[in-house]
Amino acid sequence: MEKFNQHHGLVVPLDTANVDTDQIIPKQFLQKTTRTGFGQHLFHDRRYLDNDGHKNNPEFVLNKPEYQGASILLAGENFGCGSSREHAPWALQEYGFQVIIASSFADIFYANCINIGVLPVILPEDTIATLFQQSKDNLQHITVDLVASTVKTASAQYDFTIAPFHKYCLENGVDSVGWTLNKIAKIESYEAQMPAWQ
Amino acid sequence: MATTLYEKLWQSHIIEEKADETPLIFVDRHLIHEVTSPQAFANLKFHNRVLRHPERTIATMDHNISTRSIKIDAAGEGAANQLRTLEKNCKEFGIELFGMGHKNQGVVHVIGPELGLTLPGTVIVCGDSHTSTHGAFGALAFGIGTSEVEHVFATQTLRQTKAKTMRIEVKGQVAPGISAKDIILAIIGQTGSAGATGYVVEYCGEAIERLTMEERMTVCNMSVEFGAKAGLIAPDATTFNYLKGKDYAPKGEVWQQAVEDWQQLKSDSEATFDSYLTLEAKEIKTQVTWGTTPGQVTQVDSVVPSPEDFTDPVERESCIAALKYMGLTAGTKITDIAINKVFIGSCTNSRIEDLRAAAAVAKGKKVSATVAAIVVPGSYRVKEQAEAEGLAQTFIDAGFEWRLPGCSMCLGMNDDVLTHGDRCASTSNRNFEGRQGRGSRTHLVSPELAAASAIAGHFVDLTSINSQVQGA
């Protein structure tokens, strides 16, 4: 996993609550056996007018010329709800998003982001409302600093919280499986005391 | 100290809990399927790692298989590739696979319980969000992503942040004709679609205790639809009677010991939860979703709500967007909404009791000429039993299509998809935009209501019909 310390980029505002993983990556694109090839299908049904993905929907915010190259997604509450498909954060990452900011995320989606090196940032609802307003009024480039756990806009700085181990893993690009395999003796001693039915 | 059921399960699975690390917990059972496992196997191989406990891992084919043929190629090229990849990986890593045509094949959350793979007091994970189903047995069960699938393969553990606890009590008894699906939809209607994010929910109260195991699974299945990490119901005699003698359940002395241990699995009476919700069972009526999240739900004898009914601006905006997508007008009676498709199936409602309930409604009737309806049993065993009991023939005689087991139209990864503008009464768990096909409109309902709607061509108030009959 790539290390994540700080990121400066353009914000794209996707002002919808409860964006589910079916919207992020519809099921017809889940038939791959690789972790790549999902970015082009990100938000397919909202992004394209046709089923083949050739005709852009000009109304969809990601298609607006001014937001091309955006790498920070500003999203509505309960982002990533629904299916556990890791294909959703894979698609977001491959499209170019390194940070997703929302007032709340679904649990599985949040964990999936951490595990692949996309930073989910939780900020209070009123801060999110301010960021939405600013990003709609003017193009907004912001700096997300994981080390300091801050989001810096041109006019303000907001602190966010993240679990210490999540932060450590992102900052150091930790191979979480390798990390746990170093604790195999502890796993073995747990297994040795389990009841027969377990 | 008094503890909740969740805390007991958590404590019995902790391997390591340190201040600076996310806690490490043991995973007893890992269920896998074709869609969310291939990348995990690939990484395992890339790093030259072994799969720690193949005997704790069980595989099935369900998500993208055809429901018309047991041939792998019938699922289409992409799906067939995933299915063959699963076969290859299971063979290479020594995992038991219930593939196409196997007597144990079926939807992962249907076969786990019916085979006795799902046990109280265990931690069960699967790369599928509806793993919450297994919480009906007092197991801590939740969905995981593919990176976590890989972590479980290699270590038989997971890193998990401890969740908050919520107790949902359903007091008293539900009225006749009110199903488990109505109970859970009514709960989600109260909490909203993210009301339990960050929580593990324990369902309790007389109405929950009186449910059969299959009904409890329907309730726990949809825990994730209001954001819960997992749903739990304390195991009791109903649980033990269901599991006794199942193929993979413990036998003999081990069974005796297990039941003794499982009897301790309940929240202490003095235990406190972080959050509480109480519903009166008698107030729960037949539910129908009208919007594009499961929380956008109302009673069948009610009307489509108006954006003005919501004070919260986000809910109001969501209502406007949902009505537009669903092609509904505020104030329309739910029973006036015509449907043209019906899906009876999914890990929520495809077990034998669900099919019995739907067949009882359909018996001797005909599916409306304006409706195409399919019934997809949850597993091969359910299919066999439904055929032996004559339920399949009842459906066929009524004009339903009787299919082979699989996830089918719940998520439409195979060819069981709706087309643009189709309106479906579905016994599944998600009514998201495009879930069952681009531009399709899904209304979540119970199996009874799905069957009745197939016959009438629109939603019907079954309890009102029944009481009229009784009164006549």
Side-chain angles (χ1 to χ4, degrees), chain A:
Chain A
M1 190 168 83
E2 298 282 319
K3 291 180 184 179
F4 188 110
N5 287 296
Q6 195 191 69
H7 178 74
H8 180 77
L10 174 64
V11 178
V12 58
L14 180 66
D15 197 0
T16 316
N18 302 311
V19 171
D20 56 73
T21 52
D22 278 80
Q23 286 180 57
I24 298 172
I25 183 84
K27 69 270 178 167
Q28 63 268 36
F29 306 111
L30 303 185
Q31 295 192 338
K32 292 188 172 67
T33 56
T34 58
R35 285 172 183 253
T36 53
F38 299 103
Q40 60 181 308
H41 306 301
L42 177 70
F43 292 118
H44 182 277
D45 291 1
R46 300 181 67 177
R47 197 166 142 205
Y48 303 110
L49 295 171
D50 62 331
N51 288 336
D52 297 332
H54 296 311
K55 204 173 164 200
N56 276 355
N57 173 7
E59 298 298 313
F60 186 53
V61 68
L62 258 61
N63 289 333
K64 301 206 167 170
E66 61 269 33
Y67 292 119
Q68 298 313 299
S71 57
I72 299 173
L73 182 66
L74 180 62
E77 65 182 46
N78 196 29
F79 188 78
C81 59
S83 150
S84 66
R85 58 187 73 162
E86 198 165 299
H87 313 66
W90 290 339
L92 287 159
Q93 189 176 47
E94 192 173 308
Y95 178 87
F97 290 117
Q98 298 192 39
V99 179
I100 306 166
I101 304 176
S103 63
S104 61
F105 293 91
D107 286 338
I108 307 174
F109 178 84
Y110 186 92
N112 287 343
C113 286
I114 297 282
N115 286 330
I116 68 164
V118 169
L119 176 62
V121 173
I122 300 173
L123 290 172
E125 276 175 25
D126 55 343
T127 307
I128 294 290
T130 304
L131 291 176
F132 266 118
Q133 199 51 57
Q134 289 171 349
S135 296
K136 286 176 191 170
D137 291 345
N138 294 294
L139 286 184
Q140 178 161 234
H141 287 81
I142 66 172
T143 302
V144 180
D145 187 336
L146 175 61
V147 183
S149 298
T150 57
V151 172
K152 279 182 210 160
T153 67
S155 55
Q157 176 172 315
Y158 308 100
D159 295 332
F160 66 89
T161 55
I162 179 168
F165 192 66
H166 288 164
K167 187 175 170 183
Y168 178 84
C169 288
L170 286 167
E171 281 177 2
N172 297 284
V174 168
D175 162 23
S176 63
V177 175
W179 182 274
T180 301
L181 283 173
N182 286 331
K183 304 184 179 241
I184 210 76
K186 288 204 163 104
I187 300 171
E188 283 169 353
S189 67
Y190 175 88
E191 289 171 352
Q193 56 80 50
M194 285 163 56
W197 56 262
Q198 191 186 345

Side-chain angles (χ1 to χ4, degrees), chain B residues 147-378:
Chain B
S147 294
E148 292 175 309
V149 169
E150 182 190 343
H151 195 278
V152 180
F153 279 165
T155 69
Q156 203 59 37
T157 68
L158 268 182
R159 290 201 179 275
Q160 284 294 307
T161 308
K162 196 171 177 189
K164 290 180 282 186
T165 54
M166 180 184 291
R167 190 184 74 167
I168 297 181
E169 183 181 6
V170 188
K171 289 176 121 168
Q173 297 180 28
V174 290
I178 297 302
S179 71
K181 185 67 162 285
D182 298 315
I183 295 177
I184 189 61
L185 284 173
I187 290 171
I188 300 171
Q190 293 223 355
T191 64
S193 295
T197 300
Y199 289 87
V200 166
V201 171
E202 182 177 345
Y203 305 95
C204 62
E206 187 187 351
I208 300 294
E209 287 162 20
R210 293 174 73 96
L211 297 176
T212 66
M213 284 317 297
E214 295 193 359
E215 291 170 327
R216 291 180 189 187
M217 287 184 238
T218 299
V219 170
C220 287
N221 171 275
M222 291 191 71
S223 302
V224 70
E225 306 309 336
F226 58 114
K229 178 81 191 172
L232 289 171
I233 294 174
D236 57 12
T238 305
T239 321
F240 310 143
N241 290 337
Y242 175 94
L243 282 173
K244 193 170 187 186
K246 291 265 189 280
D247 292 23
Y248 289 78
K251 306 279 172 351
E253 279 178 31
V254 181
W255 170 260
Q256 294 304 334
Q257 185 57 53
V259 172
E260 228 169 88
D261 291 350
W262 295 341
Q263 279 164 343
Q264 314 305 314
L265 292 173
K266 51 190 163 195
S267 293
D268 298 328
S269 54
E270 302 296 308
T272 54
F273 292 74
D274 297 305
S275 181
Y276 296 85
L277 176 70
T278 303
L279 281 80
E280 295 293 339
K282 64 176 188 296
E283 290 170 9
I284 298 174
K285 295 197 175 173
T286 304
Q287 305 284 306
V288 181
T289 64
W290 52 266
T292 54
T293 74
Q296 290 175 321
V297 64
T298 190
Q299 300 170 178
V300 73
D301 60 358
S302 176
V303 296
V304 174
S306 155
E308 284 76 49
D309 297 343
F310 301 93
T311 49
D312 179 79
V314 174
E315 283 188 49
R316 198 181 311 130
E317 284 301 313
S318 295
C319 176
I320 293 168
L323 293 185
K324 186 173 174 221
Y325 180 84
M326 294 296 289
L328 292 173
T329 309
T332 305
K333 282 171 74 177
I334 297 294
T335 48
D336 285 346
I337 299 173
I339 48 119
N340 68 329
K341 293 284 163 66
V342 168
F343 170 59
I344 298 176
S346 87
C347 58
T348 314
N349 282 128
S350 65
R351 299 179 182 84
I352 194 69
E353 291 174 13
D354 298 316
L355 302 190
R356 284 179 192 144
V361 173
K363 197 167 179 63
K365 309 237 172 53
K366 289 284 176 200
V367 169
S368 161
T370 57
V371 174
I374 64 171
V375 184
V376 184

